[in-house]
């Protein structure tokens, strides 16, 4: 049977904490896989923000969402051409403390002509701080890390350190990874405490 992949586990944890009509964020739109999954979860009454610094990624995401649009099942989609570090300043201020899930899938855009464009520790950490602030109590942040590409191990280590230092009164954090394969992708998640403010 095997264990779930890191991406499947991220989706499972988000599915358990997200309902139709919710507000969710894809912090790294990429090819739109996570954006589509989030859009299907929240349905036509929900809201999905998707951030990416590459127009190519947002174009791919828009194309992937076309099946929902054709069936009138598309939520309110906001595709944002911006670094995810600007998340807190970009979203509608009224959603602060109302977001049920924020997904990160770090690294580079698969299939891109320029694989040197990658997520960076400083902006990722700023985005993670924003994500925790935007979450509702009981909401979740998932972050898939790729230590196997240049720059990926440093970013993974910085995210791991961020998760370890989050106050337990604010959130609980977990790591999901294959312990025998140090370069394999792995998942870190943070769930905001139900009583957190």
């Amino acid at each position: 049977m095997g264990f779930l992949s890191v991406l499947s586990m991220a989706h499972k944890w988000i599915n358990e904490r997200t309902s139709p009509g919710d507000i969710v964020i894809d912090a790294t739109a990429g090819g739109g896989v996570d954006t589509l999954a989030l859009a299907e979860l929240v349905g036509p009454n929900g809201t999905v923000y998707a951030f990416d610094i590459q127009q190519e990624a947002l174009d791919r995401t828009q194309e992937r969402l076309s099946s929902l649009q054709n069936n009138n099942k598309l939520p309110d989609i906001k595709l944002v051409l911006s670094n995810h570090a600007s998340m807190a300043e970009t979203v509608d201020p009224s959603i602060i403390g109302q977001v049920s899930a924020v997904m990160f899938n770090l690294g580079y855009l698969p299939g891109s002509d320029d694989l040197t464009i990658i997520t960076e520790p400083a902006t990722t950490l700023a985005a993670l701080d924003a994500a925790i602030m935007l979450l509702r109590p009981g909401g979740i942040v998932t972050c898939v890390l790729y230590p196997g590409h240049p720059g990926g191990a440093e970013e993974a280590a910085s995210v791991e350190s961020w998760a370890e230092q989050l106050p337990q009164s604010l959130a609980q954090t977990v790591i999901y990874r294959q312990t025998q394969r140090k370069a394999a992708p792995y998942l870190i998640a943070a769930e905001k405490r139900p009583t957190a403010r």
Side-chain angles (χ1 to χ4, degrees), residues 17-36:
R17 293 161 178 83
T18 304
S19 303
D22 280 0
I23 303 162
V24 292
I25 298 172
D26 185 351
T28 50
V33 173
D34 293 337
T35 308
L36 176 62

Side-chain angles (χ1 to χ4, degrees), residues 2 6 16 20 25 35 45 47 54 67 94-95 103 124 127-128 152-154 161 166 180-181 189 195:
V6 291
E16 294 168 352
I25 298 172
T35 308
N45 295 320
T47 301
Q54 295 180 80
S67 60
S94 69
I95 75 165
M103 293 193 83
T124 294
L128 286 165
E154 293 81 4
S161 177
L166 269 181
Q180 298 107 325
R181 296 178 56 215
T195 56

Side-chain angles (χ1 to χ4, degrees), residues 3-62:
F3 294 111
L4 289 176
S5 71
V6 291
L7 193 53
S8 294
M9 183 58 84
H11 284 220
K12 180 181 188 301
W13 288 342
I14 284 173
N15 290 354
E16 294 168 352
R17 293 161 178 83
T18 304
S19 303
D22 280 0
I23 303 162
V24 292
I25 298 172
D26 185 351
T28 50
V33 173
D34 293 337
T35 308
L36 176 62
L38 291 169
E40 290 172 337
L41 272 177
V42 302
N45 295 320
T47 301
V48 180
Y49 285 85
F51 288 80
D52 211 287
I53 60 170
Q54 295 180 80
Q55 185 61 50
E56 178 187 359
L58 296 182
D59 292 344
R60 285 195 210 172
T61 299
Q62 182 70 60

Side-chain angles (χ1 to χ4, degrees), residues 48-130:
V48 180
Y49 285 85
F51 288 80
D52 211 287
I53 60 170
Q54 295 180 80
Q55 185 61 50
E56 178 187 359
L58 296 182
D59 292 344
R60 285 195 210 172
T61 299
Q62 182 70 60
E63 186 176 326
R64 195 174 292 273
L65 292 167
S66 61
S67 60
L68 292 182
Q69 188 167 13
N70 295 340
N71 293 315
N72 296 317
K73 294 183 177 178
L74 194 66
D76 181 13
I77 297 282
K78 300 177 188 306
L79 300 179
V80 184
L81 182 63
S82 180
N83 192 295
H84 52 207
S86 70
M87 189 186 309
E89 297 80 40
T90 304
V91 300
D92 185 327
S94 69
I95 75 165
I96 294 171
Q98 305 298 316
V99 174
S100 61
V102 183
M103 293 193 83
F104 289 77
N105 201 335
L106 301 179
Y108 54 80
L109 177 62
S112 172
D113 292 335
D114 187 354
L115 299 183
T116 65
I117 301 174
I118 59 172
T119 52
E120 304 279 349
T123 51
T124 294
L125 294 178
L128 286 165
D129 285 339

